[in-house]
């Protein structure tokens, strides 16, 4: 096992009592002194610290959007990504069954252990220590947050993009369904007539196919470059900066 | 309007910058500088502080039960009760419409404003100040928390009570439904044959009627006094202390 000191360096925190860190890394399959109570505590310290970070960073963003941003930052896949950057799987203590089935790679186990570490830092060093560890680990993610788009699904993004350009809503049409009832595939077309765009996409549900089609249309619109004409009068709050940057005219 | 100093006394916190408190008390119907962003922040500091209080107070309670307890302590009705004890409605700033419709009495408005105050204390005085205000206001509720029962519904409580006495599950029977489709009433019977108990109750849904019947049966069982015989061998974790205290045999 790699030395815990490496993990502490990556966290930017040295534990006074190593037992807290040990327990945070212990899955319930390994030992009765496992990390689930720490995870309860860590989840809530994480939620609060990320709330405070977002509150400071986006003074004009309303509470509904702040909630959406936070949900995206603290969701399992975001946590698992941070856990991977810390090489957390090298430090986990799992039971034999979990070890054999590759539990150390499971996003849920990684995310839970990372939350447990936040709880352990709070128990060991108090709130300021926990806040500083969470802030440090979240700094790269936070720097990339675009409050207008993060956590929104492609259909919503496309709708807002078109509204920002004073264009009609996109038209979605199911053009075919294939396969048996339990494994159906849906073929969907998405059209934006004013821009002369039409794409098709397939998915295991109508919604999934529509989201995929919306993603493709967004990419096409972005490739076309900035909007012309009417969009100059678009209201500020419907302006959209998309994940792939588009030069913004009205700033 | 009653002086804000009275509210500060009740909170046990004096604001450095009164503007934070003013904004926390301002409903969106009154002013654009309203309390909803503060509420976002306050909700998460509240969740965290209550999590930490429960974690400390109940070292043996698992994370699932801690979550149930917290959910119960931070739910709207609990917050509204605390808000009432602070006479918060005397301090709220509401728009005319809300004033006329009695918004200052609405549990949602009271609960939201209290959360906003927690957020304001954090902004004004930092985490320690917020923690101390939340801890102070929650002390009476926390003292009454019974981790085995708080937040469980009556049907669950009854089931656990009977399991603790090695008795069969209660039997629920719908004996009648009355009224038109849109305003139906359900008459339900709940029976515990081994204890020779049967009650009936009515509700606008089957579930509501069953919960009411379960509540009545629990009261009857509690009135019968402590269990005899088999229950002495009941496992510790199925022992139940109910809201109305029953002498516990196996402690």
């Amino acid at each position: 096992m790699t030395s815990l000191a490496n993990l502490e360096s990556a966290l930017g925190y040295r534990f006074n009592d190593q037992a807290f860190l040990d327990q945070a890394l212990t899955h319930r399959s390994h030992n009765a002194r496992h990390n689930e109570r720490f995870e309860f505590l860590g989840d809530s310290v994480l939620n609060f610290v990320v709330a405070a970070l977002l509150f400071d960073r986006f003074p004009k963003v309303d509470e509904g959007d702040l909630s959406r941003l936070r949900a995206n930052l603290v969701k399992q896949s975001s946590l698992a990504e941070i856990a991977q950057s810390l090489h957390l799987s090298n430090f986990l203590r799992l039971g034999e069954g979990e070890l054999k089935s590759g539990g150390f790679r499971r996003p849920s186990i990684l995310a839970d252990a990372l939350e447990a570490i936040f709880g352990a830092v709070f128990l060991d060093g108090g709130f300021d220590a926990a806040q500083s560890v969470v802030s440090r680990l979240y700094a790269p993610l936070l720097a990339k947050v675009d409050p207008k788009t993060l956590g929104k699904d492609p259909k919503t993004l496309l709708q807002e993009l078109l509204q920002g350009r004073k264009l009609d809503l996109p038209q979605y049409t199911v053009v075919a369904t294939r396969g048996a009832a339990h494994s159906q595939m849906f073929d969907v077309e998405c059209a934006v007539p004013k821009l002369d765009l039409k794409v098709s996409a397939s998915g295991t549900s109508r919604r999934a196919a529509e989201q995929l089609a919306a993603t493709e249309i967004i990419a096409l619109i972005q490739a076309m470059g900035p909007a012309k004409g009417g969009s100059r009068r678009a209201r500020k709050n419907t302006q959209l900066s998309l994940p792939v940057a588009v030069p913004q005219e009205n700033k």
Side-chain angles (χ1 to χ4, degrees), chain A:
Chain A
M1 178 184 274
T2 319
S3 158
L4 284 179
N6 294 342
L7 178 56
E8 289 182 313
S9 299
L11 291 169
Y13 180 73
R14 192 155 304 279
F15 278 82
N16 301 302
D17 182 350
Q18 201 79 32
F20 285 121
L21 180 54
D22 289 346
Q23 187 168 345
L25 294 166
T26 305
H27 188 256
R28 68 175 299 132
S29 61
H30 182 271
N31 195 308
R33 279 180 70 84
H34 57 70
N35 62 10
E36 292 189 356
R37 275 173 48 92
F38 284 17
E39 179 203 335
F40 167 75
L41 199 56
D43 171 79
S44 62
V45 74
L46 169 68
N47 266 280
F48 169 49
V49 172
V50 171
L53 289 170
L54 290 168
F55 184 96
D56 280 349
R57 185 172 160 82
F58 300 111
K60 302 284 180 196
V61 170
D62 74 25
E63 57 293 344
D65 288 338
L66 291 173
S67 293
R68 167 173 52 80
L69 298 178
R70 181 176 57 179
N72 198 274
L73 290 170
V74 305
K75 70 183 180 190
Q76 189 183 89
S77 59
S78 305
L79 284 162
E81 248 177 69
I82 297 176
Q84 267 155 1
S85 76
L86 297 168
H87 306 292
L88 209 56
S89 53
N90 296 341
F91 304 98
L92 293 179
R93 295 149 192 243
L94 302 175
E96 274 197 41
E98 284 292 351
L99 269 179
K100 281 182 187 152
S101 67
F104 50 86
R105 280 191 303 266
R106 278 232 304 279
S108 63
I109 289 184
L110 287 167
D112 292 352
L114 182 58
E115 288 188 329
I117 288 176
F118 297 147
V121 173
F122 169 69
L123 291 169
D124 185 70
F127 176 71
D128 290 349
Q131 184 179 36
S132 120
V133 168
V134 170
S135 302
R136 175 193 169 103
L137 295 181
Y138 268 89
L141 279 82
L142 214 65
K144 286 187 293 184
V145 166
D146 181 339
K148 295 204 189 66
T149 59
L150 181 70
K152 285 184 183 168
D153 64 277
K155 283 181 70 176
T156 304
L157 287 172
L158 176 57
Q159 181 181 330
E160 292 178 354
L161 176 63
L162 296 177
Q163 282 170 342
R165 300 185 178 200
K166 306 264 183 193
L167 294 172
D168 291 340
L169 295 182
Q171 296 158 4
Y172 296 95
T173 320
V174 177
V175 292
T177 57
R178 294 171 286 140
H182 63 284
S183 63
Q184 256 185 331
M185 287 296 285
F186 294 77
D187 297 336
V188 163
E189 264 182 17
C190 175
V192 182
K194 277 277 174 58
L195 297 178
D196 205 19
L197 291 175
K198 186 184 277 188
V199 304
S200 52
S202 304
T204 53
S205 72
R206 178 180 170 161
R207 189 182 140 80
E210 287 177 352
Q211 298 290 8
L212 203 56
T215 307
E216 291 178 21
I217 290 263
I218 290 173
L220 291 174
I221 295 175
Q222 290 180 319
M224 292 165 68
K228 301 197 185 74
S231 75
R232 290 184 200 276
R233 293 188 308 274
R235 280 166 49 226
K236 190 159 174 253
N237 65 4
T238 59
Q239 281 295 308
L240 192 70
S241 82
L242 284 155
V244 177
V246 174
Q248 297 221 346
E249 290 187 306
N250 299 322
K251 270 192 170 162

PDB file of all heavy atoms in Angstrom, chain A residues 172-195:
ATOM      1  N   TYR A 172     -38.800  18.180 -32.681  1.00  0.00           N
ATOM      2  CA  TYR A 172     -38.366  16.785 -32.520  1.00  0.00           C
ATOM      3  C   TYR A 172     -39.425  15.862 -33.113  1.00  0.00           C
ATOM      4  O   TYR A 172     -40.622  16.039 -32.858  1.00  0.00           O
ATOM      5  CB  TYR A 172     -38.189  16.446 -31.043  1.00  0.00           C
ATOM      6  CG  TYR A 172     -37.094  17.247 -30.360  1.00  0.00           C
ATOM      7  CD1 TYR A 172     -37.392  18.415 -29.656  1.00  0.00           C
ATOM      8  CD2 TYR A 172     -35.769  16.829 -30.418  1.00  0.00           C
ATOM      9  CE1 TYR A 172     -36.396  19.149 -29.040  1.00  0.00           C
ATOM     10  CE2 TYR A 172     -34.766  17.561 -29.795  1.00  0.00           C
ATOM     11  CZ  TYR A 172     -35.079  18.710 -29.105  1.00  0.00           C
ATOM     12  OH  TYR A 172     -34.089  19.436 -28.482  1.00  0.00           O
ATOM     13  N   THR A 173     -39.003  14.886 -33.907  1.00  0.00           N
ATOM     14  CA  THR A 173     -39.945  13.930 -34.498  1.00  0.00           C
ATOM     15  C   THR A 173     -39.373  12.522 -34.357  1.00  0.00           C
ATOM     16  O   THR A 173     -38.202  12.288 -34.679  1.00  0.00           O
ATOM     17  CB  THR A 173     -40.123  14.205 -36.007  1.00  0.00           C
ATOM     18  OG1 THR A 173     -40.166  15.618 -36.224  1.00  0.00           O
ATOM     19  CG2 THR A 173     -41.390  13.562 -36.525  1.00  0.00           C
ATOM     20  N   VAL A 174     -40.212  11.618 -33.866  1.00  0.00           N
ATOM     21  CA  VAL A 174     -39.813  10.201 -33.859  1.00  0.00           C
ATOM     22  C   VAL A 174     -40.067   9.665 -35.264  1.00  0.00           C
ATOM     23  O   VAL A 174     -41.205   9.650 -35.726  1.00  0.00           O
ATOM     24  CB  VAL A 174     -40.624   9.392 -32.831  1.00  0.00           C
ATOM     25  CG1 VAL A 174     -40.230   7.918 -32.898  1.00  0.00           C
ATOM     26  CG2 VAL A 174     -40.400   9.937 -31.431  1.00  0.00           C
ATOM     27  N   VAL A 175     -39.000   9.265 -35.949  1.00  0.00           N
ATOM     28  CA  VAL A 175     -39.179   8.802 -37.324  1.00  0.00           C
ATOM     29  C   VAL A 175     -39.283   7.284 -37.397  1.00  0.00           C
ATOM     30  O   VAL A 175     -39.813   6.745 -38.367  1.00  0.00           O
ATOM     31  CB  VAL A 175     -38.042   9.302 -38.257  1.00  0.00           C
ATOM     32  CG1 VAL A 175     -38.145  10.811 -38.439  1.00  0.00           C
ATOM     33  CG2 VAL A 175     -36.677   8.919 -37.717  1.00  0.00           C
ATOM     34  N   ALA A 176     -38.805   6.579 -36.399  1.00  0.00           N
ATOM     35  CA  ALA A 176     -38.943   5.123 -36.406  1.00  0.00           C
ATOM     36  C   ALA A 176     -38.683   4.566 -35.019  1.00  0.00           C
ATOM     37  O   ALA A 176     -37.971   5.167 -34.213  1.00  0.00           O
ATOM     38  CB  ALA A 176     -37.955   4.501 -37.398  1.00  0.00           C
ATOM     39  N   THR A 177     -39.323   3.447 -34.713  1.00  0.00           N
ATOM     40  CA  THR A 177     -38.962   2.667 -33.534  1.00  0.00           C
ATOM     41  C   THR A 177     -38.626   1.270 -34.026  1.00  0.00           C
ATOM     42  O   THR A 177     -39.309   0.731 -34.894  1.00  0.00           O
ATOM     43  CB  THR A 177     -40.113   2.581 -32.507  1.00  0.00           C
ATOM     44  OG1 THR A 177     -41.249   2.025 -33.165  1.00  0.00           O
ATOM     45  CG2 THR A 177     -40.473   3.943 -31.983  1.00  0.00           C
ATOM     46  N   ARG A 178     -37.562   0.725 -33.470  1.00  0.00           N
ATOM     47  CA  ARG A 178     -37.096  -0.579 -33.939  1.00  0.00           C
ATOM     48  C   ARG A 178     -36.914  -1.525 -32.770  1.00  0.00           C
ATOM     49  O   ARG A 178     -36.743  -1.099 -31.641  1.00  0.00           O
ATOM     50  CB  ARG A 178     -35.730  -0.426 -34.635  1.00  0.00           C
ATOM     51  CG  ARG A 178     -35.762   0.374 -35.922  1.00  0.00           C
ATOM     52  CD  ARG A 178     -34.347   0.659 -36.395  1.00  0.00           C
ATOM     53  NE  ARG A 178     -33.679   1.686 -35.603  1.00  0.00           N
ATOM     54  CZ  ARG A 178     -32.401   1.654 -35.233  1.00  0.00           C
ATOM     55  NH1 ARG A 178     -31.643   0.627 -35.559  1.00  0.00           N
ATOM     56  NH2 ARG A 178     -31.886   2.645 -34.517  1.00  0.00           N
ATOM     57  N   GLY A 179     -36.925  -2.831 -33.068  1.00  0.00           N
ATOM     58  CA  GLY A 179     -36.596  -3.829 -32.050  1.00  0.00           C
ATOM     59  C   GLY A 179     -37.811  -4.263 -31.246  1.00  0.00           C
ATOM     60  O   GLY A 179     -38.902  -3.684 -31.351  1.00  0.00           O
ATOM     61  N   ALA A 180     -37.613  -5.298 -30.419  1.00  0.00           N
ATOM     62  CA  ALA A 180     -38.687  -5.845 -29.591  1.00  0.00           C
ATOM     63  C   ALA A 180     -38.999  -4.880 -28.440  1.00  0.00           C
ATOM     64  O   ALA A 180     -38.212  -3.979 -28.136  1.00  0.00           O
ATOM     65  CB  ALA A 180     -38.273  -7.204 -29.048  1.00  0.00           C
ATOM     66  N   ALA A 181     -40.140  -5.123 -27.811  1.00  0.00           N
ATOM     67  CA  ALA A 181     -40.636  -4.187 -26.798  1.00  0.00           C
ATOM     68  C   ALA A 181     -39.622  -3.936 -25.688  1.00  0.00           C
ATOM     69  O   ALA A 181     -39.476  -2.813 -25.214  1.00  0.00           O
ATOM     70  CB  ALA A 181     -41.941  -4.715 -26.200  1.00  0.00           C
ATOM     71  N   HIS A 182     -38.885  -4.968 -25.256  1.00  0.00           N
ATOM     72  CA  HIS A 182     -37.981  -4.815 -24.118  1.00  0.00           C
ATOM     73  C   HIS A 182     -36.629  -4.233 -24.524  1.00  0.00           C
ATOM     74  O   HIS A 182     -35.817  -3.902 -23.679  1.00  0.00           O
ATOM     75  CB  HIS A 182     -37.779  -6.164 -23.428  1.00  0.00           C
ATOM     76  CG  HIS A 182     -37.128  -7.178 -24.311  1.00  0.00           C
ATOM     77  ND1 HIS A 182     -37.831  -7.818 -25.312  1.00  0.00           N
ATOM     78  CD2 HIS A 182     -35.861  -7.627 -24.378  1.00  0.00           C
ATOM     79  CE1 HIS A 182     -37.007  -8.640 -25.942  1.00  0.00           C
ATOM     80  NE2 HIS A 182     -35.811  -8.531 -25.402  1.00  0.00           N
ATOM     81  N   SER A 183     -36.361  -4.105 -25.819  1.00  0.00           N
ATOM     82  CA  SER A 183     -35.066  -3.545 -26.237  1.00  0.00           C
ATOM     83  C   SER A 183     -35.272  -2.620 -27.439  1.00  0.00           C
ATOM     84  O   SER A 183     -34.579  -2.708 -28.440  1.00  0.00           O
ATOM     85  CB  SER A 183     -34.083  -4.663 -26.589  1.00  0.00           C
ATOM     86  OG  SER A 183     -34.575  -5.402 -27.702  1.00  0.00           O
ATOM     87  N   GLN A 184     -36.270  -1.736 -27.310  1.00  0.00           N
ATOM     88  CA  GLN A 184     -36.587  -0.846 -28.423  1.00  0.00           C
ATOM     89  C   GLN A 184     -35.526   0.229 -28.633  1.00  0.00           C
ATOM     90  O   GLN A 184     -34.884   0.676 -27.689  1.00  0.00           O
ATOM     91  CB  GLN A 184     -37.934  -0.172 -28.182  1.00  0.00           C
ATOM     92  CG  GLN A 184     -39.040  -0.786 -29.031  1.00  0.00           C
ATOM     93  CD  GLN A 184     -40.336  -0.055 -28.884  1.00  0.00           C
ATOM     94  OE1 GLN A 184     -40.618   0.528 -27.833  1.00  0.00           O
ATOM     95  NE2 GLN A 184     -41.153  -0.089 -29.925  1.00  0.00           N
ATOM     96  N   MET A 185     -35.369   0.614 -29.873  1.00  0.00           N
ATOM     97  CA  MET A 185     -34.535   1.759 -30.213  1.00  0.00           C
ATOM     98  C   MET A 185     -35.425   2.801 -30.882  1.00  0.00           C
ATOM     99  O   MET A 185     -36.306   2.465 -31.686  1.00  0.00           O
ATOM    100  CB  MET A 185     -33.430   1.356 -31.194  1.00  0.00           C
ATOM    101  CG  MET A 185     -32.312   0.526 -30.581  1.00  0.00           C
ATOM    102  SD  MET A 185     -31.373   1.440 -29.321  1.00  0.00           S
ATOM    103  CE  MET A 185     -30.391   2.530 -30.371  1.00  0.00           C
ATOM    104  N   PHE A 186     -35.173   4.050 -30.550  1.00  0.00           N
ATOM    105  CA  PHE A 186     -35.951   5.147 -31.111  1.00  0.00           C
ATOM    106  C   PHE A 186     -35.068   5.972 -32.030  1.00  0.00           C
ATOM    107  O   PHE A 186     -33.962   6.365 -31.640  1.00  0.00           O
ATOM    108  CB  PHE A 186     -36.495   6.036 -29.992  1.00  0.00           C
ATOM    109  CG  PHE A 186     -37.498   5.347 -29.119  1.00  0.00           C
ATOM    110  CD1 PHE A 186     -37.089   4.436 -28.148  1.00  0.00           C
ATOM    111  CD2 PHE A 186     -38.859   5.585 -29.276  1.00  0.00           C
ATOM    112  CE1 PHE A 186     -38.015   3.778 -27.350  1.00  0.00           C
ATOM    113  CE2 PHE A 186     -39.790   4.935 -28.473  1.00  0.00           C
ATOM    114  CZ  PHE A 186     -39.362   4.030 -27.519  1.00  0.00           C
ATOM    115  N   ASP A 187     -35.544   6.212 -33.238  1.00  0.00           N
ATOM    116  CA  ASP A 187     -34.853   7.113 -34.160  1.00  0.00           C
ATOM    117  C   ASP A 187     -35.590   8.450 -34.154  1.00  0.00           C
ATOM    118  O   ASP A 187     -36.798   8.493 -34.427  1.00  0.00           O
ATOM    119  CB  ASP A 187     -34.842   6.548 -35.588  1.00  0.00           C
ATOM    120  CG  ASP A 187     -34.068   5.241 -35.661  1.00  0.00           C
ATOM    121  OD1 ASP A 187     -33.199   5.024 -34.789  1.00  0.00           O
ATOM    122  OD2 ASP A 187     -34.348   4.436 -36.566  1.00  0.00           O
ATOM    123  N   VAL A 188     -34.862   9.497 -33.841  1.00  0.00           N
ATOM    124  CA  VAL A 188     -35.484  10.810 -33.685  1.00  0.00           C
ATOM    125  C   VAL A 188     -34.791  11.814 -34.608  1.00  0.00           C
ATOM    126  O   VAL A 188     -33.570  11.752 -34.788  1.00  0.00           O
ATOM    127  CB  VAL A 188     -35.371  11.268 -32.211  1.00  0.00           C
ATOM    128  CG1 VAL A 188     -35.621  12.755 -32.079  1.00  0.00           C
ATOM    129  CG2 VAL A 188     -36.349  10.488 -31.347  1.00  0.00           C
ATOM    130  N   GLU A 189     -35.589  12.702 -35.175  1.00  0.00           N
ATOM    131  CA  GLU A 189     -35.029  13.814 -35.928  1.00  0.00           C
ATOM    132  C   GLU A 189     -35.222  15.098 -35.150  1.00  0.00           C
ATOM    133  O   GLU A 189     -36.269  15.300 -34.526  1.00  0.00           O
ATOM    134  CB  GLU A 189     -35.736  13.968 -37.285  1.00  0.00           C
ATOM    135  CG  GLU A 189     -35.015  13.289 -38.438  1.00  0.00           C
ATOM    136  CD  GLU A 189     -35.751  13.516 -39.745  1.00  0.00           C
ATOM    137  OE1 GLU A 189     -36.598  14.436 -39.824  1.00  0.00           O
ATOM    138  OE2 GLU A 189     -35.486  12.752 -40.672  1.00  0.00           O
ATOM    139  N   CYS A 190     -34.218  15.958 -35.215  1.00  0.00           N
ATOM    140  CA  CYS A 190     -34.357  17.279 -34.608  1.00  0.00           C
ATOM    141  C   CYS A 190     -34.070  18.307 -35.697  1.00  0.00           C
ATOM    142  O   CYS A 190     -33.037  18.224 -36.376  1.00  0.00           O
ATOM    143  CB  CYS A 190     -33.380  17.435 -33.447  1.00  0.00           C
ATOM    144  SG  CYS A 190     -33.387  19.093 -32.744  1.00  0.00           S
ATOM    145  N   ALA A 191     -35.006  19.234 -35.864  1.00  0.00           N
ATOM    146  CA  ALA A 191     -34.861  20.214 -36.945  1.00  0.00           C
ATOM    147  C   ALA A 191     -34.954  21.635 -36.408  1.00  0.00           C
ATOM    148  O   ALA A 191     -35.743  21.924 -35.503  1.00  0.00           O
ATOM    149  CB  ALA A 191     -35.951  19.996 -37.993  1.00  0.00           C
ATOM    150  N   VAL A 192     -34.126  22.515 -36.967  1.00  0.00           N
ATOM    151  CA  VAL A 192     -34.236  23.957 -36.724  1.00  0.00           C
ATOM    152  C   VAL A 192     -34.341  24.603 -38.107  1.00  0.00           C
ATOM    153  O   VAL A 192     -33.329  24.978 -38.709  1.00  0.00           O
ATOM    154  CB  VAL A 192     -33.010  24.497 -35.958  1.00  0.00           C
ATOM    155  CG1 VAL A 192     -33.178  25.998 -35.686  1.00  0.00           C
ATOM    156  CG2 VAL A 192     -32.818  23.739 -34.657  1.00  0.00           C
ATOM    157  N   PRO A 193     -35.576  24.714 -38.629  1.00  0.00           N
ATOM    158  CA  PRO A 193     -35.764  25.127 -40.021  1.00  0.00           C
ATOM    159  C   PRO A 193     -35.113  26.470 -40.348  1.00  0.00           C
ATOM    160  O   PRO A 193     -34.478  26.622 -41.392  1.00  0.00           O
ATOM    161  CB  PRO A 193     -37.290  25.206 -40.148  1.00  0.00           C
ATOM    162  CG  PRO A 193     -37.820  24.317 -39.088  1.00  0.00           C
ATOM    163  CD  PRO A 193     -36.846  24.403 -37.966  1.00  0.00           C
ATOM    164  N   LYS A 194     -35.220  27.451 -39.431  1.00  0.00           N
ATOM    165  CA  LYS A 194     -34.679  28.785 -39.704  1.00  0.00           C
ATOM    166  C   LYS A 194     -33.177  28.763 -39.975  1.00  0.00           C
ATOM    167  O   LYS A 194     -32.637  29.610 -40.672  1.00  0.00           O
ATOM    168  CB  LYS A 194     -34.960  29.718 -38.509  1.00  0.00           C
ATOM    169  CG  LYS A 194     -36.357  30.321 -38.523  1.00  0.00           C
ATOM    170  CD  LYS A 194     -36.428  31.563 -39.415  1.00  0.00           C
ATOM    171  CE  LYS A 194     -37.841  32.099 -39.549  1.00  0.00           C
ATOM    172  NZ  LYS A 194     -38.454  32.450 -38.253  1.00  0.00           N
ATOM    173  N   LEU A 195     -32.493  27.784 -39.382  1.00  0.00           N
ATOM    174  CA  LEU A 195     -31.047  27.673 -39.608  1.00  0.00           C
ATOM    175  C   LEU A 195     -30.742  26.586 -40.633  1.00  0.00           C
ATOM    176  O   LEU A 195     -29.576  26.247 -40.865  1.00  0.00           O
ATOM    177  CB  LEU A 195     -30.320  27.360 -38.289  1.00  0.00           C
ATOM    178  CG  LEU A 195     -30.423  28.419 -37.189  1.00  0.00           C
ATOM    179  CD1 LEU A 195     -29.693  27.954 -35.925  1.00  0.00           C
ATOM    180  CD2 LEU A 195     -29.844  29.752 -37.670  1.00  0.00           C
TER     181      LEU A 195
END
